[in-house]
Amino acid sequence: MANNTSLTDKDIALDLLSSSKGTIATLAKVLTETTNPKLRDALKNELTACINSHYRLSDIAISKGWYNAYASPQQQLQQDLSAINTITQ
């Protein structure tokens, strides 16, 4: 098995997408539990900014072929398995 420890643009983009999903979920949860109007406005603005950033990053990943958002779950699984086989060879 090759010891490939370098990160690619694809790795970074997919990691950022995963992280932004978590941030969006957390902001949405906190927003629903906030009663202070000023804090709620600040959280709404941050949530909107995060969603917009996630959209732009998703668009880049899809256009570069790094993320196939429109594939069926079976196709996505097959792509992941092929990538794993490539890494472990």
Side-chain angles (χ1 to χ4, degrees), residues 2-27:
N3 188 9
N4 186 0
T5 59
S6 62
L7 289 174
T8 64
D9 289 343
K10 176 183 176 181
D11 296 326
I12 295 167
L14 294 179
D15 190 51
L16 286 171
L17 279 171
S18 178
S19 177
S20 76
K21 285 183 201 179
T23 301
I24 290 167
T26 300
L27 282 169

Side-chain angles (χ1 to χ4, degrees), residues 15-75:
D15 190 51
L16 286 171
L17 279 171
S18 178
S19 177
S20 76
K21 285 183 201 179
T23 301
I24 290 167
T26 300
L27 282 169
K29 181 178 179 183
V30 170
L31 184 60
T32 63
E33 297 174 358
T34 302
T35 57
N36 181 301
K38 288 183 181 182
L39 179 56
R40 193 173 345 163
D41 286 341
L43 289 169
K44 279 194 268 186
N45 291 337
E46 187 63 26
L47 178 60
T48 299
C50 286
I51 290 169
N52 290 336
S53 293
H54 185 85
Y55 171 76
R56 287 190 304 272
L57 185 56
S58 295
D59 194 41
I60 291 167
I62 291 168
S63 71
K64 294 210 177 253
W66 297 337
Y67 180 67
N68 190 354
Y70 307 110
S72 69
Q74 292 82 8
Q75 290 170 318

